[in-house]
Amino acid sequence: MVQYNFKKITVVPTRDDFIDIILSRTQRQTPTVVHKGYAINRIRQFYMRKVKYTQQNFHEKLSTIIEEFPRLDGIHPFYGDLLHVLYNKDHYKLALGQINTARNLIGKISKDYVKLLKYGDSLYRCKALKVAALGRMCTVIKRVGPSLAYLEQIRQHMARLPSIDPNTRTILICGYPNVGKSSFINKITRADVDVQPYAFTTKSLFVGHTDYKYLRYQVIDTPGILDRPFEDRNIIEMCSITALAHLRAAVLFFLDISGSCGYSIAQQAALFHSIKSLFMNKPLIVVCNKTDLQPLDGISEEDKKLVMDMKAEALKTLIGQGGDPTNEEGVLLTMSTLTEDGVITVKNAACERLLNQRVELKMKSKKINDCLNRFHVAMPKARDQKERPPCIPQAVLEAKAKKEMEKEKRKLERDLEDENGGAGVYSASLRKHYILAHEEWKEDIMPEILDGHNVYDFVDPDILNRLEELEQEEGLRQEQEGDEDLDMDVVELTQEEQEALTKIRNKKSSLIQQHRIKKSTAESRPTVPRKFDKDKKFTSERMGRQLSDLGLDPTRAINRARSQSRGRKRERSVDRDAMDLDVDQSNKKLRMRSTSRSRSKSRPPGELVPGEGYKDSAQKGKAMTLAKKSMMKRNKDARRVDADQTKVCYCPFRAFKNFGYVVLIMCTDAGIAHALPMLHCWLSAELIGRLRLLFILLM
């Protein structure tokens, strides 16, 4: 079974977006740094890689477009003709052909410029060739911009087409506009087709699905068709003609016998006879709709004769399929979609006719013989006349009976509610689970008032005494738990200490409560720095006052808090020697001589530390100097990159090249001996004959 899903076609970008996508991908996925000091082969490979990568991206995107769009010659004729009706297959093929041509041109451009880049002799020339190659590729894409836009419009329209399977069981509804086709498909399927009291409400094909005998059927609602020449029909009507011509389905021709659609029965009969060639080899049923407005028996004799002619034509299709010519049931049916009278009958008749035709075709095909040859039904042959009834072991019967007993489940309140009238009638009994000496006591009614007294007050005469005993027992338990939680022995504390302890505990509980409140509102409460705390809630003076009120000495606590706070500024901590200086000495000198409390003095790097293995500080300094010198070359090599090229000068001279002249300025006499081999290395063979050498000896 072939499924056609045009919703999976990739979006076709515009020409500008196409170019931006490819060039940005090339920029991101290929190297971006090149220097003129690189070897020429490396520079060529750098730009050749960019050109090839861009061509590959263009090729992949264009190939995706060409492959995902359906080829009209390779799909079902129904979809091929439908796409031709909607989009004109000549324009469609021309657009895809231009995309294919663009793909080939881009490949040819890439091939030509890669050959040219192999002979690039400088960074500038290789870069210019790369720019030219990418520019020509983008120009090709800009030229096919209209084709890309046209294909994107086709893709959007194809994504809205219904998913129709041409090979499955199909029921096709056709007829004049406004005869009740969309109302019928809404009744038998879950499709939601717009229904309006005017013609051509349905402008395209709509699909719904229904079930019959555990099989899924595809129901297609087609737009209305008018009785006019084939050349004069528009695209909406041609969609219906295409479906009738190519889909192997049961056809329901709807006939409005009331005339409320705006067309007479004669016009509808003329349409039937003009398209009856499309009904060949298909189950055909003529459906007379809107019988609630006009019954079939109430139409005129002329109209009835036209209806009978259509019935005769439908009967011919039944005879052509090998049906019984005397059985006229299921050929002409009446119904009303408004009152739903006869709707299910029409649906069942169409499904049955289609199913019989498909089974008959399969039985006539050659494949059925291959299938029947694989089946063999074996029938046992009786060896004598003795009856042998089935024998089931007793253990199996007992197991079966036990299984049935286990299936009987306990009745729930819901089951009892359903048996006794349902919700609102049945009231569940709350006494059924009481544990009493006799079961009949559960439903006894207990009086509330007896002899003018409340019965529940006299149930137990000692109830008040028992309540007091329980309260006393609870109080003793709470006291024991409170004594266990105390961290100190309360008996040894004086009255004043007990009061102070009570205040501390109350304060602790209040602080815990405040902390919980602050924690719950921490997200919505702004953070205020301590220097802006005007209330001064957390100060050492306040702590001293509170400790003094409790009868404690706050001196040690205040000193400890001050020692753990932030250190004083550097200029405030003066060296001991500065205490002997004059008051007029500048603060700068004091800061220079001041020391910090937070850290000790640093040791000089050359100072000798016991255990390092040096004889004295001088030996340690020499060792550190040698270590630095040995690391200089390694550090320099570590910072060197591919672009750093060092040219070693073997002789003390300076060389200048300009306008075919080489001027060698020799710094010493020994440089002349080195000049000739150096020039032979610099100059190519074709320039040696053109250059004139001038040696100037510096004395």
Side-chain angles (χ1 to χ4, degrees):
M1 183 180 294
V2 181
Q3 293 287 344
Y4 298 95
N5 189 5
F6 300 129
K7 296 180 178 62
K8 294 183 179 180
I9 299 177
T10 308
V11 178
V12 181
T14 61
R15 61 180 187 179
D16 296 334
D17 294 342
F18 205 112
I19 294 172
D20 292 342
I21 291 170
I22 300 301
L23 294 185
S24 63
R25 184 180 296 177
T26 302
Q27 183 69 14
R28 286 184 284 107
Q29 301 294 335
T30 57
T32 56
V33 178
V34 65
H35 299 286
K36 62 181 179 180
Y38 287 175
I40 190 62
N41 288 334
R42 184 175 179 182
I43 296 174
R44 291 170 184 167
Q45 292 294 332
F46 177 86
Y47 288 108
M48 286 166 60
R49 181 178 179 182
K50 283 188 175 293
V51 174
K52 289 180 180 179
Y53 189 80
T54 306
Q55 183 267 335
Q56 290 175 0
N57 287 334
F58 274 121
H59 188 275
E60 290 176 1
K61 294 288 286 184
L62 296 175
S63 299
T64 302
I65 295 172
I66 295 171
E67 292 171 0
E68 290 189 350
F69 275 88
R71 296 185 179 182
L72 301 184
D73 300 333
I75 60 177
H76 195 274
F78 164 69
Y79 274 113
D81 285 358
L82 183 63
L83 295 180
H84 174 59
V85 168
L86 295 174
Y87 316 122
N88 193 344
K89 92 180 150 181
D90 296 334
H91 294 172
Y92 177 77
K93 289 183 177 180
L94 184 61
L96 289 178
Q98 290 178 352
I99 300 298
N100 188 26
T101 304
R103 180 179 64 176
N104 296 334
L105 286 175
I106 289 175
K108 186 177 179 181
I109 290 171
S110 172
K111 186 176 180 181
D112 294 342
Y113 276 89
V114 166
K115 287 182 180 179
L116 293 175
L117 280 168
K118 290 181 181 179
Y119 299 98
D121 56 355
S122 64
L123 174 65
Y124 173 78
R125 187 162 297 176
C126 292
K127 184 176 181 180
L129 289 173
K130 186 267 295 185
V131 172
L134 268 59
R136 288 189 63 184
M137 294 179 189
C138 296
T139 303
V140 172
I141 294 298
K142 288 182 179 179
R143 288 179 180 174
V144 297
S147 298
L148 294 173
Y150 174 72
L151 290 175
E152 172 61 16
Q153 292 180 359
I154 291 179
R155 185 201 65 82
Q156 294 177 2
H157 194 280
M158 290 174 66
R160 294 191 291 269
L161 290 177
S163 181
I164 298 175
D165 186 3
N167 301 316
T168 190
R169 295 166 290 274
T170 307
I171 299 174
L172 200 61
I173 308 172
C174 65
Y176 256 92
N178 201 22
V179 295
K181 302 185 297 297
S182 300
S183 301
F184 177 72
I185 192 175
N186 288 341
K187 295 293 182 182
I188 66 173
T189 67
R190 290 188 293 177
D192 187 14
V193 185
D194 189 20
V195 177
Q196 297 296 338
Y198 50 81
F200 287 107
T201 305
T202 304
K203 297 181 180 179
S204 61
L205 300 176
F206 285 89
V207 181
H209 294 85
T210 187
D211 293 331
Y212 177 73
K213 289 185 178 180
Y214 305 103
L215 294 175
R216 178 61 56 90
Y217 286 80
Q218 174 178 262
V219 185
I220 301 178
D221 179 22
T222 62
I225 309 173
L226 298 179
D227 183 22
R228 52 185 177 181
F230 184 80
E231 296 79 9
D232 297 340
R233 289 194 170 101
N234 55 22
I235 296 177
I236 298 176
E237 296 175 87
M238 289 304 299
C239 292
S240 302
I241 299 298
T242 303
L244 286 170
H246 295 289
L247 291 179
R248 190 176 59 181
V251 180
L252 300 179
F253 186 84
F254 270 57
L255 192 67
D256 184 5
I257 58 176
S258 67
S260 60
C261 64
Y263 305 98
S264 63
I265 296 179
Q267 290 176 315
Q268 299 178 58
L271 173 65
F272 177 85
H273 290 292
S274 66
I275 63 174
K276 67 181 180 181
S277 60
L278 301 175
F279 303 149
M280 297 300 294
N281 301 324
K282 296 176 184 176
L284 176 61
I285 299 176
V286 179
V287 181
C288 298
N289 193 16
K290 301 185 182 179
T291 56
D292 57 317
L293 299 177
Q294 176 67 49
L296 182 60
D297 299 335
I299 62 176
S300 62
E301 293 296 332
E302 296 179 358
D303 293 341
K304 188 175 292 186
K305 183 179 179 181
L306 294 174
V307 173
M308 291 304 161
D309 292 342
M310 288 188 284
K311 179 181 177 182
E313 293 292 339
L315 196 59
K316 289 181 182 179
T317 61
L318 178 62
I319 297 172
Q321 296 171 8
D324 187 5
T326 60
N327 185 13
E328 298 181 357
E329 295 182 1
V331 176
L332 178 64
L333 300 175
T334 60
M335 73 168 190
S336 173
T337 54
L338 182 63
T339 61
E340 299 185 7
D341 184 18
V343 172
I344 301 301
T345 304
V346 173
K347 168 200 161 184
N348 294 342
C351 295
E352 189 68 30
R353 289 276 304 276
L354 180 62
L355 187 60
N356 293 338
Q357 186 210 25
R358 291 173 66 90
V359 170
E360 186 178 355
L361 290 176
K362 288 181 180 178
M363 292 298 293
K364 291 180 180 179
S365 64
K366 296 181 180 180
K367 293 182 179 179
I368 192 65
N369 296 326
D370 298 337
C371 295
L372 291 177
N373 292 334
R374 300 175 188 174
F375 296 113
H376 174 68
V377 181
M379 297 297 294
K381 185 178 179 180
R383 58 185 177 182
D384 52 27
Q385 300 298 328
K386 186 178 179 180
E387 293 184 3
R388 293 178 175 85
C391 179
I392 303 176
Q394 186 64 27
V396 176
L397 294 175
E398 292 177 358
K400 206 181 272 189
K402 186 177 180 181
K403 204 173 198 180
E404 291 178 358
M405 291 177 62
E406 290 178 355
K407 287 183 179 179
E408 296 180 0
K409 60 180 182 179
R410 181 173 60 89
K411 283 190 176 182
L412 303 178
E413 288 293 335
R414 180 176 296 176
D415 301 332
L416 295 174
E417 180 181 349
D418 295 338
E419 293 177 0
N420 296 286
V425 178
Y426 172 75
S427 178
S429 177
L430 303 178
R431 301 181 180 182
K432 62 173 65 178
H433 299 298
Y434 286 179
I435 302 174
L436 300 176
H438 300 282
E439 291 291 332
E440 60 269 13
W441 290 358
K442 292 182 179 180
E443 301 299 331
D444 291 347
I445 300 175
M446 183 179 291
E448 297 182 2
I449 304 297
L450 183 65
D451 298 334
H453 299 283
N454 193 345
V455 176
Y456 288 99
D457 294 340
F458 300 95
V459 171
D460 190 354
D462 300 332
I463 189 171
L464 297 178
N465 297 332
R466 293 186 178 184
L467 179 62
E468 291 179 1
E469 292 176 1
L470 289 174
E471 290 178 350
Q472 291 177 2
E473 184 179 355
E474 185 68 21
L476 292 174
R477 288 184 178 180
Q478 290 180 356
E479 290 178 1
Q480 291 177 1
E481 292 176 358
D483 294 340
E484 291 175 359
D485 293 340
L486 293 178
D487 296 336
M488 60 182 69
D489 192 3
V490 184
V491 180
E492 298 179 358
L493 297 178
T494 62
Q495 185 67 26
E496 295 179 355
E497 291 175 345
Q498 289 181 0
E499 292 177 357
L501 181 61
T502 305
K503 289 182 180 180
I504 290 173
R505 288 177 176 172
N506 294 337
K507 186 62 177 177
K508 181 179 179 182
S509 62
S510 64
L511 290 175
I512 292 173
Q513 189 68 21
Q514 290 177 5
H515 175 71
R516 289 176 179 173
I517 294 172
K518 290 181 179 180
K519 188 176 180 181
S520 62
T521 60
E523 295 181 358
S524 59
R525 187 179 68 255
T527 303
V528 181
R530 181 173 292 183
K531 63 180 180 179
F532 295 109
D533 188 8
K534 297 181 180 180
D535 298 337
K536 301 292 184 181
K537 291 185 178 180
F538 304 100
T539 58
S540 59
E541 290 80 4
R542 177 172 172 272
M543 182 179 67
R545 289 195 303 270
Q546 290 180 352
L547 293 176
S548 299
D549 294 341
L550 296 175
L552 301 175
D553 186 12
T555 307
R556 296 182 62 185
I558 293 174
N559 292 337
R560 180 175 176 82
R562 287 178 177 174
S563 64
Q564 291 183 354
S565 62
R566 292 183 296 175
R568 292 177 295 172
K569 293 183 179 180
R570 184 180 291 271
E571 58 267 15
R572 295 181 184 176
S573 61
V574 187
D575 197 6
R576 292 181 180 179
D577 298 337
M579 302 297 292
D580 301 335
L581 299 176
D582 296 336
V583 182
D584 297 336
Q585 191 172 2
S586 63
N587 292 332
K588 183 176 181 180
K589 292 182 178 181
L590 290 176
R591 285 196 301 270
M592 292 175 62
R593 298 184 59 185
S594 65
T595 57
S596 174
R597 289 186 179 183
S598 60
R599 63 186 294 271
S600 60
K601 286 186 177 181
S602 300
R603 183 181 291 108
E607 183 178 350
L608 183 63
V609 178
E612 287 185 343
Y614 298 107
K615 183 174 64 175
D616 51 8
S617 299
Q619 188 182 18
K620 182 178 180 180
K622 289 182 180 180
M624 293 176 65
T625 302
L626 292 175
K628 288 181 180 179
K629 287 183 178 180
S630 64
M631 288 188 293
M632 284 176 63
K633 187 176 185 304
R634 290 196 294 270
N635 293 340
K636 186 176 181 181
D637 293 339
R639 292 191 297 267
R640 180 177 297 174
V641 295
D642 295 342
D644 299 332
Q645 295 184 357
T646 305
K647 295 182 180 179
V648 182
C649 186
Y650 295 100
C651 59
F653 69 91
R654 295 184 298 275
F656 300 91
K657 288 194 301 181
N658 193 8
F659 299 103
Y661 291 91
V662 176
V663 181
L664 297 178
I665 303 175
M666 311 305 295
C667 299
T668 60
D669 295 339
I672 298 176
H674 299 281
L676 291 176
M678 288 298 298
L679 285 175
H680 182 71
C681 295
W682 282 0
L683 305 179
S684 61
E686 55 193 34
L687 291 178
I688 290 178
R690 297 171 51 196
L691 297 178
R692 289 175 297 170
L693 305 178
L694 178 62
F695 296 94
I696 303 174
L697 185 63
L698 296 179
M699 300 303 295

